[in-house]
Amino acid sequence: MTKSRNRIGKGWGVALVAGLFGLAGCARPDPTIRPVSQLPLPLQAYLSVDAYFIAQGMVRGRLADGRLMHDQARDLVASTLYARDLTVQNMLHPTVEGQRRVQLAIEMMLDCVQLANSGSTAACLGPPPPVSGGDARPVADASRPATAESAPR
């Protein structure tokens, strides 16, 4: 009886190993790995959503730490909201330019986190761009109004 059990056990073991190798051969991975830029635009947009949520988690963790200057916290929130809006727009209507803008916005979020982590007290977003004239050229001597009453309406 013992010898018959051993033969059955050996037979099953060989069949199991052969089956596993057979299945492994069927699930062979694609030998070429394509960069994200070569994937279809809807898939790129979907992956950008994942990247946004990862970066947003990093921003949230940095904000939860609490050791930030006011300007840094404001810039972290502003960069997160900007990236979120671009990510949603690109998800609804994926384009090559939209994908590029989302990537830059996410990089801006991560740059803000890195600057805040470095111990610097500087704001991560630069000063606001100068006010442009009617023809979209920067006005040379643009400045903020001194009082609310002197602001253009």
Side-chain angles (χ1 to χ4, degrees), residues 5 42 48 50 52 57 74 80 84 96-97 113 122:
R5 283 188 185 169
S48 293
D50 287 344
Y52 166 77
R74 180 201 64 220
T80 302
R84 182 187 66 189
V96 173
E97 178 61 22
V113 170

Side-chain angles (χ1 to χ4, degrees), residues 24-80:
C26 293
R28 202 171 318 151
D30 187 12
T32 59
I33 298 174
R34 295 186 303 176
V36 173
S37 61
Q38 292 180 1
L39 296 173
L41 281 175
L43 184 57
Q44 289 182 36
Y46 179 77
L47 292 173
S48 293
V49 172
D50 287 344
Y52 166 77
F53 280 122
I54 292 169
Q56 185 211 21
M58 295 174 72
V59 168
R60 185 175 180 177
R62 190 61 185 102
L63 288 170
D65 185 29
R67 292 177 287 145
L68 292 171
M69 300 300 290
H70 175 70
D71 291 342
Q72 288 177 329
R74 180 201 64 220
D75 289 349
L76 281 168
V77 171
S79 66
T80 302

